[in-house]
Amino acid sequence: MRSKDTLLRLHRFHVEEKRRQVGDIEMMMADFRRKQDDLDQQIAYEEQKTGVSDPANFNYSMTAKSIRNRRENLLATIDDLQAQLDRANEAVAEEETELRKVELLAEKDASHRSDIKMIGRQTDTTASRTRH
């Protein structure tokens, strides 16, 4: 019984750890999206200031180009994080399935033990009646 309790705790820990990882990735993605919005505003400001909004134009602001590059790098990172998030969500689902299996086994084992105890009591009661 002790090993099953340990196994249950271990699986619960794994589920919580995977959920924490999902939360961390989601927080990072939200932070990066806020930074992306800030960069979009900076690009718009720079384009408005110079009056040139076409990045291919010779007179396009170097500052805006630099900010655009940072924004593109940030978008690539967000895409990578989305892939990590998808894998992490799959891992959570797998761990939750494993946890359910272990919990069902523990419940089945507990039920089996109580059945054995009940049969043992019935046998004791029957044996004591036949003695009297």
Side-chain angles (χ1 to χ4, degrees):
M1 183 67 180
R2 206 165 160 81
S3 64
K4 286 191 170 127
D5 289 340
T6 303
L7 190 59
L8 272 171
R9 280 195 306 272
L10 178 65
H11 279 283
R12 286 181 181 134
F13 172 78
H14 285 290
V15 167
E16 290 306 314
E17 180 65 19
K18 298 292 181 189
R19 286 180 183 158
R20 185 194 59 75
Q21 289 174 355
V22 166
D24 289 348
I25 293 169
E26 288 173 340
M27 284 177 30
M28 286 173 47
M29 288 177 69
D31 185 43
F32 287 167
R33 285 192 177 109
R34 281 190 296 277
K35 288 179 182 179
Q36 175 194 349
D37 291 341
D38 289 344
L39 292 175
D40 286 339
Q41 289 175 357
Q42 290 176 19
I43 291 168
Y45 172 77
E46 195 64 31
E47 289 175 349
Q48 181 184 10
K49 186 172 86 171
T50 61
V52 180
S53 60
D54 180 13
N57 189 313
F58 178 75
N59 290 328
Y60 192 72
S61 166
M62 290 303 289
T63 303
K65 277 186 182 181
S66 174
I67 295 170
R68 275 189 183 277
N69 286 337
R70 287 180 29 210
R71 182 182 176 277
E72 293 305 315
N73 289 339
L74 194 59
L75 288 174
T77 302
I78 291 171
D79 288 343
D80 290 344
L81 285 174
Q82 182 62 53
Q84 286 181 27
L85 180 62
D86 294 342
R87 288 190 302 272
N89 279 323
E90 289 172 9
V92 167
E94 289 172 11
E95 284 295 332
E96 287 174 339
T97 300
E98 287 299 313
L99 176 60
R100 277 189 229 107
K101 287 179 187 177
V102 172
E103 287 173 338
L104 288 173
L105 283 174
E107 288 175 19
K108 186 176 180 180
D109 186 51
S111 174
H112 181 70
R113 288 174 191 254
S114 67
D115 289 346
I116 290 173
K117 286 181 184 177
M118 191 179 304
I119 291 170
R121 287 186 202 132
Q122 288 174 352
T123 305
D124 290 344
T125 306
T126 306
S128 63
R129 284 186 189 158
T130 56
R131 287 186 210 153
H132 293 284

Coordinates of all heavy atoms in Angstrom, one line a residue, residues 25 28-29 32-33 36 69-85:
I25 N 4.9 29.0 -19.7 CA 5.0 29.2 -21.1 C 3.9 30.2 -21.5 O 4.2 31.2 -22.3 CB 4.9 27.9 -22.0 CG1 6.1 27.0 -21.7 CG2 4.7 28.3 -23.5 CD1 5.9 25.6 -22.3
M28 N 5.0 33.7 -20.5 CA 6.1 34.2 -21.4 C 5.4 34.7 -22.7 O 5.8 35.8 -23.2 CB 7.1 33.1 -21.6 CG 8.0 32.9 -20.5 SD 9.2 31.5 -20.7 CE 9.8 31.7 -22.3
M29 N 4.5 33.9 -23.2 CA 3.9 34.3 -24.5 C 3.1 35.6 -24.3 O 3.1 36.5 -25.2 CB 2.9 33.2 -25.0 CG 3.7 32.0 -25.5 SD 2.6 30.6 -26.0 CE 1.9 31.4 -27.5
F32 N 5.6 38.4 -24.2 CA 6.1 38.7 -25.5 C 5.1 39.4 -26.4 O 5.4 40.2 -27.3 CB 6.6 37.4 -26.2 CG 7.9 36.9 -25.6 CD1 8.4 35.6 -25.9 CD2 8.7 37.7 -24.8 CE1 9.6 35.2 -25.4 CE2 9.9 37.2 -24.2 CZ 10.3 36.0 -24.5
R33 N 3.8 39.0 -26.3 CA 2.8 39.7 -27.1 C 2.6 41.2 -26.7 O 2.4 42.0 -27.5 CB 1.5 39.0 -26.9 CG 1.4 37.7 -27.7 CD 0.1 37.0 -27.9 NE 0.1 35.9 -28.7 CZ 0.0 34.6 -28.2 NH1 -0.2 34.4 -27.0 NH2 0.1 33.6 -29.1
Q36 N 5.4 42.8 -28.3 CA 5.1 43.0 -29.7 C 4.3 44.2 -29.9 O 4.5 45.0 -30.9 CB 4.4 41.7 -30.2 CG 4.0 41.8 -31.7 CD 3.0 40.7 -32.1 OE1 2.8 39.8 -31.3 NE2 2.4 40.9 -33.2
N69 N 12.9 44.3 -37.2 CA 13.7 43.1 -37.1 C 13.5 42.5 -35.7 O 13.3 41.3 -35.6 CB 15.2 43.4 -37.3 CG 15.5 43.5 -38.8 OD1 14.8 43.1 -39.7 ND2 16.6 44.2 -39.1
R70 N 13.5 43.3 -34.7 CA 13.3 42.8 -33.3 C 11.9 42.2 -33.2 O 11.7 41.2 -32.6 CB 13.4 44.0 -32.3 CG 14.9 44.4 -32.1 CD 15.1 45.5 -31.1 NE 14.2 45.7 -30.1 CZ 13.9 46.8 -29.5 NH1 14.5 47.9 -29.9 NH2 13.0 46.9 -28.5
R71 N 10.9 42.9 -33.9 CA 9.5 42.4 -33.8 C 9.4 41.0 -34.5 O 8.8 40.1 -34.0 CB 8.6 43.4 -34.5 CG 7.2 43.0 -34.5 CD 6.3 44.0 -35.3 NE 4.9 43.6 -35.4 CZ 4.5 42.8 -36.3 NH1 5.3 42.3 -37.2 NH2 3.2 42.4 -36.3
E72 N 10.1 40.9 -35.7 CA 10.1 39.6 -36.4 C 10.7 38.5 -35.5 O 10.3 37.3 -35.5 CB 10.8 39.7 -37.7 CG 10.1 40.6 -38.7 CD 8.6 40.2 -39.0 OE1 8.3 39.0 -39.1 OE2 7.7 41.1 -38.9
N73 N 11.9 38.8 -34.9 CA 12.5 37.8 -34.0 C 11.6 37.4 -32.9 O 11.5 36.3 -32.5 CB 13.8 38.4 -33.4 CG 14.9 38.5 -34.5 OD1 14.8 37.8 -35.5 ND2 15.9 39.4 -34.2
L74 N 10.9 38.4 -32.3 CA 9.9 38.2 -31.2 C 8.8 37.3 -31.7 O 8.4 36.3 -31.0 CB 9.4 39.5 -30.7 CG 8.6 39.5 -29.4 CD1 9.5 39.0 -28.3 CD2 8.2 40.9 -29.0
L75 N 8.3 37.5 -32.9 CA 7.2 36.7 -33.5 C 7.7 35.2 -33.7 O 6.9 34.3 -33.4 CB 6.7 37.3 -34.8 CG 5.9 38.5 -34.7 CD1 5.5 39.1 -36.1 CD2 4.6 38.3 -33.9
A76 N 8.9 35.1 -34.1 CA 9.5 33.7 -34.3 C 9.6 33.0 -32.9 O 9.3 31.8 -32.8 CB 10.9 33.8 -34.9
T77 N 10.0 33.8 -31.9 CA 10.0 33.2 -30.6 C 8.6 32.8 -30.1 O 8.5 31.7 -29.5 CB 10.7 34.2 -29.6 OG1 12.0 34.5 -30.1 CG2 10.8 33.7 -28.2
I78 N 7.7 33.6 -30.3 CA 6.3 33.3 -29.9 C 5.8 32.1 -30.6 O 5.2 31.2 -30.0 CB 5.3 34.5 -30.2 CG1 5.6 35.7 -29.3 CG2 3.9 34.1 -30.1 CD1 4.9 37.0 -29.6
D79 N 6.1 31.9 -31.9 CA 5.8 30.7 -32.6 C 6.5 29.5 -32.0 O 5.8 28.4 -31.8 CB 6.2 30.8 -34.1 CG 5.3 31.7 -34.9 OD1 4.2 32.1 -34.4 OD2 5.7 32.1 -36.0
D80 N 7.7 29.6 -31.6 CA 8.4 28.5 -31.0 C 7.8 28.2 -29.6 O 7.6 27.0 -29.3 CB 9.9 28.8 -30.8 CG 10.7 28.9 -32.0 OD1 10.2 28.4 -33.1 OD2 11.8 29.5 -32.0
L81 N 7.4 29.2 -28.9 CA 6.8 29.0 -27.6 C 5.4 28.3 -27.8 O 5.0 27.5 -27.0 CB 6.6 30.3 -26.9 CG 7.9 30.8 -26.2 CD1 7.6 32.2 -25.6 CD2 8.4 29.9 -25.1
Q82 N 4.7 28.6 -28.9 CA 3.4 28.0 -29.1 C 3.6 26.5 -29.3 O 2.8 25.7 -28.8 CB 2.7 28.6 -30.3 CG 1.3 28.0 -30.6 CD 0.4 28.3 -29.5 OE1 0.2 29.4 -29.0 NE2 -0.3 27.2 -29.0
A83 N 4.7 26.1 -30.1 CA 4.9 24.7 -30.3 C 5.3 24.0 -28.9 O 4.8 22.9 -28.7 CB 6.1 24.5 -31.3
Q84 N 6.1 24.7 -28.1 CA 6.4 24.2 -26.8 C 5.1 24.0 -25.9 O 5.0 23.0 -25.2 CB 7.4 25.1 -26.0 CG 8.8 25.0 -26.5 CD 9.7 26.0 -25.7 OE1 9.4 26.3 -24.6 NE2 10.7 26.4 -26.4
L85 N 4.2 25.0 -26.0 CA 3.0 25.0 -25.3 C 2.1 23.8 -25.7 O 1.6 23.1 -24.9 CB 2.2 26.3 -25.5 CG 0.9 26.4 -24.7 CD1 1.1 26.3 -23.2 CD2 0.2 27.7 -25.1

